[in-house]
Amino acid sequence: MDDVRTEQQLSGYEYFGSEVRSAREDRKLTQRRLADGTGYSIAYVSKVENGVLMPSARFAERLDVVFGTGGLFSRLRRRIDETETPSWFVPYLKLEPKAHRILDWSVHCFIGVLQTEEYARAILRAGNPHEDADTIEGMVRGRMRRRQEALEKPGGPKLWAVIHEACIRTVVGGPDIMAAQLDDLIHVANKPDVDVQIVPFTAGAAAAHTTSFTLLTFSDKSPDTLWTDGPHGGRLTQVEATVKNVAEMHERLRAHAAPPDTSMDTIRTCAEELR
């Protein structure tokens, strides 16, 4: 039986690449001609066509110029995040990289921007047990792009993550993957725009009375935004009184958390135990 997949089964990268190849071949252009026309290398064009590279926004714009497609490829490129991300999460993803600060409280697993690729893959597989491997990989790529935009892009948001000890004690993906995740957490916590504190089990009710949440604050006039997770999706809230209450809650959690240096010692000890 031929290995043929429908459009719905293709990842966002693969679908975009197949459309580029189709448009190029319809116009009888070689990859070299397309590379010259867009100002990118032949290798870049090939990787996009084969669905292994996230096309840049500029590349999509240049495709529309070369093909005369009136913004089609720019629109397809913007849809990649949406096709590889649950629709209910897209509004949050559009706000996160624009935030001035991310104030996070994680109870069971780390916020997406702190996850390593292997940790993310294990979490996403556990949460989507009936999805095929390609779908899971698309989700992983989306999460890694999210991490890059938040933690590695110059001028990105400042992050203050308060993490329950349960997060660092829960072995996700096996001891090796979890130890690597904890090592990475220590590395990220050393970045100037990142603060990480651990709330120990001994904090008791101070940390047990609330579920995970993420609060986005902005340096412009955009309203501060609260994100809360649930078993069937998440919810955005911009109600001022609610957001203010949660901001105060984050302050109290920081007060009950261990200091940063002590928190790093706890994470380091946990990683060594896993080894």
Side-chain angles (χ1 to χ4, degrees):
M1 184 175 180
D2 291 338
D3 182 18
V4 178
R5 291 187 290 168
T6 66
E7 172 185 329
Q8 288 74 23
Q9 292 173 310
L10 294 176
S11 73
Y13 289 15
E14 291 171 321
Y15 180 64
F16 188 98
S18 69
E19 289 297 299
V20 173
R21 182 183 293 107
S22 178
R24 177 177 62 78
E25 292 176 348
D26 284 347
R27 291 159 178 77
K28 302 187 185 312
L29 296 176
T30 63
Q31 285 187 341
R32 178 178 292 279
R33 290 284 299 279
L34 181 57
D36 291 342
T38 57
Y40 285 75
S41 68
I42 297 175
Y44 188 96
V45 171
S46 177
K47 288 179 180 179
V48 169
E49 288 193 356
N50 286 297
V52 297
L53 180 68
M54 169 69 164
S56 70
R58 181 180 177 278
F59 181 68
E61 292 169 0
R62 293 302 304 163
L63 289 175
D64 284 322
V65 172
V66 173
F67 294 146
T69 41
L72 171 65
F73 284 98
S74 292
R75 292 192 293 274
L76 286 177
R77 198 271 181 190
R78 287 194 293 270
R79 286 291 303 277
I80 289 178
D81 280 340
E82 297 180 21
T83 57
E84 294 189 348
T85 304
S87 59
W88 47 264
F89 198 43
V90 171
Y92 174 86
L93 289 183
K94 290 180 178 179
L95 290 173
E96 187 180 65
K98 301 175 183 178
H100 173 63
R101 291 193 308 167
I102 302 172
L103 302 177
D104 182 72
W105 163 237
S106 293
V107 179
H108 303 297
C109 67
F110 302 116
I111 184 176
V113 297
L114 288 177
Q115 295 178 10
T116 63
E117 183 173 335
E118 292 299 325
Y119 182 98
R121 184 174 290 108
I123 288 288
L124 290 166
R125 169 50 70 194
N128 302 272
H130 304 300
E131 294 290 357
D132 60 39
D134 288 338
T135 299
I136 296 298
E137 288 308 303
M139 293 178 179
V140 173
R141 287 194 296 265
R143 188 156 295 186
M144 291 303 99
R145 288 198 303 274
R146 177 185 165 199
R147 173 185 166 116
Q148 184 176 29
E149 287 183 342
L151 296 182
E152 300 171 19
K153 185 178 179 180
K158 301 177 186 297
L159 171 65
W160 197 325
V162 183
I163 301 170
H164 196 284
E165 187 175 351
C167 285
I168 65 172
R169 295 290 180 184
T170 302
V171 182
V172 172
D176 290 343
I177 289 175
M178 192 64 201
Q181 169 66 69
L182 296 178
D183 288 342
D184 184 76
L185 181 61
I186 294 170
H187 171 72
V188 170
N190 285 321
K191 293 178 178 290
D193 291 335
V194 177
D195 291 286
V196 173
Q197 288 181 268
I198 301 298
V199 175
F201 287 124
T202 54
H209 74 289
T210 184
T211 57
S212 299
F213 62 79
T214 304
L215 184 62
L216 304 179
T217 68
F218 300 87
S219 56
D220 57 17
K221 295 182 180 180
S222 299
D224 293 346
T225 303
L226 170 67
W227 173 264
T228 52
D229 273 318
H232 300 293
R235 180 184 178 187
L236 280 179
T237 303
Q238 294 179 330
V239 177
E240 185 175 356
T242 302
V243 170
K244 181 179 179 181
N245 177 263
V246 172
E248 292 173 352
M249 193 179 299
H250 196 269
E251 290 180 4
R252 288 196 298 274
L253 287 165
R254 297 199 301 264
H256 285 90
D261 288 346
T262 304
S263 295
M264 292 304 102
D265 289 340
T266 301
I267 297 169
R268 194 174 293 110
T269 297
C270 192
E272 290 304 319
E273 289 173 357
L274 287 167
R275 296 188 181 94

